[in-house]
Amino acid sequence: MGDTHKDLIFLIPLPGGRVARVPIDVLEHYVDPSARISHGGEAEEEDVTAHSMSVDPRTGASIWHTDWELGQCDYTDENGFPQSAYAWHRHPLGNEYTEIYQK
């Protein structure tokens, strides 16, 4: 492989410790210009929002992400104890309630 843009391969972490090898050409078809990740990335360096929240690029408001993302999250376990984990998770109700992806 050369160093051209079309030869780039990205490793995408998947639940269960699996990894997908995806060419950039395939990923480019799925780019959403209005979406921003909440956990990690260069744009987050200036993010001053509460933990687990991101800034809505359209309104500038702090929001809870409802799509599945891999990142640090706080949640309450089945015994009522606060936990912190690096896991696939989302906030489906648009608040601090967190669902952890478990297989």
Side-chain angles (χ1 to χ4, degrees), residues 5-65:
H5 180 74
K6 67 179 181 155
D7 292 333
L8 293 175
I9 301 290
F10 286 82
L11 299 177
I12 310 294
L14 299 173
R18 299 175 301 149
V19 175
R21 294 174 51 89
V22 183
I24 186 69
D25 297 9
V26 173
L27 291 175
E28 290 290 344
H29 295 290
Y30 297 97
V31 170
D32 181 347
S34 66
R36 299 289 180 263
I37 60 171
S38 297
H39 304 286
E42 296 166 8
E44 190 177 355
E45 289 177 15
E46 297 179 25
D47 186 1
V48 294
T49 59
H51 178 70
S52 297
M53 296 183 81
S54 61
V55 175
D56 184 332
R58 294 166 293 214
T59 65
S62 294
I63 59 169
W64 295 92
H65 62 90

